Amino acid sequence: MNVPAAGTFRSLRNFNYRVWAAGALVSNTGTWMQRAAQDWLVLTELTRHNASAVGMVMAFQFGPQLLLMPWTGFAADYFNQRRLLITTQAMMGVLALALGLLTVTGLVQLWHVYAFAFLFGCAAAFDAPVRQTFVAELVGDGDLSNAIALNSTSFNAARMIGPAIAGIVISSIGTGWAFLINAASFTAVLGSLFMLRTSELRPNPRAHRAKGGMTEGFRYVWSRPDLRAITIMLFLIGTFGLNFPIFISTMAVTVFHTDARGFGLLSSTMAVGTISGALLAAGRPQPLFVSLLLGAGIFGTGCTLAALAPSYWLFAGALVVIGVAALTFTNTSNSLMQLSTEPRMRGRVMALRLGVALGGTPIGAPIVGWVADHLGPRWALGVGAAAGFAAALVAARAMSAHAARSCRE
């Protein structure tokens, strides 16, 4: 049995994890630059502040997480994870390069962004579950929860840096260059994958081809009351709450009337909260179910404060609260689902987690975008608040049911 060592940054003692984390930080910064630039391109250059169009881009980008879920999870459990990551990361780098060239040359149209969002989403659908479960091969189960939290810290440090850089790049030399910089950033993570000491990896047991192998993850999760409750909570918050491109861009442009730099700063400000939430998770010895309840409830409260914020800076402050809550919730759900799942099933369970959390976007993002267009961005944030409070109720009910079962036993 692996006993976790103490310390918030304990996973960084591992050479392979250090190499992976360094490459991922560079690549994640480029990814956040592209996300901010893509939202700005659609909202201000290809449409006249059409939030529904931003919602459609999100639907195309995250829809494949749900559509391809049976195959992506099985691929993560069946194929060599390092080689699969090399393939998916290379594909996303090529797509970023192509979109950047279209934008720089002035040829880009809205349908191009939709198409690239869908293709990028397909590659990301295969990349996400293997990238999350690959952490166990780097550090083992003993430090898995810590490594997941440090991954989130890296991802959200990039979230703080990337949009701010994107705002400067867009204002200075144009939106397309943010896409090209992202394409170049994929060389860092690809380089880190080639530099890993393969002899020190801890491969998980691989799945075998069998009838029903791809749907086994659905049956496994639904048979577990704890995993079922987490999945329902992920659907609620993922579908109606994690629509930050819509929330931030519409509030920035139509309520506070900021430019590209002000928009980028808001995205970076939210990352202060997400980094804080990730570091708090990294310092915990074990994930607890009660953290899901707290994270969902505070998320709903943060969205309510953001919806009512009378000024740019108070809105930015509310985004920090949302960031802490969102990372508390997502990190805890990730750790609980991985640590309580059989190793041979982790890829499929994580694919289901991501498919539910992100695959609901094709439903939620257009709805939230429509609300922002017709009722205003503040009402759209109200939808996110309702999702957080509903998820908190699900957690409270699950904890109550668990306590009742424990008493009967």
Side-chain angles (χ1 to χ4, degrees), residues 1 10 28 82-83 127 137 170 173 190 213 220-221 224 245 267 283 286 288 302 318-319 342 367 382 392 394:
M1 178 179 177
R10 57 187 179 271
N28 286 335
R82 176 173 161 272
R83 293 173 185 168
D127 180 82
E137 291 201 11
I170 292 168
I173 54 178
L190 287 170
Y220 181 84
V221 169
R224 295 262 308 270
S267 296
Q286 293 293 332
L288 300 174
L319 290 179
E342 299 173 29
I367 293 173
V394 172

Side-chain angles (χ1 to χ4, degrees), residues 174-377:
T175 307
W177 287 98
F179 301 140
L180 294 178
I181 293 172
N182 180 42
S185 75
F186 280 96
T187 60
V189 72
L190 287 170
S192 73
L193 286 166
F194 283 108
M195 289 172 61
L196 294 178
R197 296 172 181 169
T198 55
S199 62
E200 296 180 12
L201 293 175
R202 302 166 175 83
N204 292 316
R206 299 289 86 199
H208 300 289
R209 289 188 183 275
K211 186 177 180 180
M214 289 187 293
T215 59
E216 191 177 359
F218 292 93
R219 295 192 297 271
Y220 181 84
V221 169
W222 207 249
S223 68
R224 295 262 308 270
D226 56 336
L227 297 183
R228 187 166 65 240
I230 294 172
T231 301
I232 294 170
M233 295 174 70
L234 283 165
F235 173 78
L236 290 168
I237 291 183
T239 301
F240 301 106
L242 302 183
N243 292 293
F244 303 128
I246 297 174
F247 297 149
I248 295 176
S249 63
T250 54
M251 288 290 286
V253 173
T254 63
V255 176
F256 300 120
H257 308 291
T258 63
D259 58 11
R261 296 189 185 193
F263 163 62
L265 181 60
L266 283 176
S267 296
S268 297
T269 300
M270 182 175 177
V272 173
T274 54
I275 291 173
S276 301
L279 287 173
L280 287 171
R284 297 187 191 106
Q286 293 293 332
L288 300 174
F289 197 92
V290 69
S291 297
L292 293 176
L293 171 61
L294 293 173
I298 296 172
F299 182 88
T301 302
C303 286
T304 302
L305 294 173
L308 299 174
S311 69
Y312 176 93
W313 289 110
L314 287 175
F315 177 69
L319 290 179
V320 174
V321 176
I322 294 173
V324 172
L327 256 292
T328 298
F329 176 77
T330 56
N331 270 11
T332 303
S333 70
N334 189 335
S335 296
L336 284 173
M337 293 186 85
Q338 287 209 55
L339 288 170
S340 66
T341 297
E342 299 173 29
R344 69 177 186 86
M345 292 291 299
R346 278 179 181 163
R348 278 163 286 184
V349 170
M350 294 310 292
L352 179 60
R353 174 186 177 273
L354 290 163
V356 170
L358 301 178
T361 301
I363 302 169
I367 293 173
V368 172
W370 183 91
V371 171
D373 280 335
H374 293 84
L375 302 178

Side-chain angles (χ1 to χ4, degrees), residues 119-135:
L119 293 173
F120 198 92
C122 289
F126 281 92
D127 180 82
V130 68
R131 180 162 35 84
Q132 296 204 7
T133 56
F134 185 61
V135 176

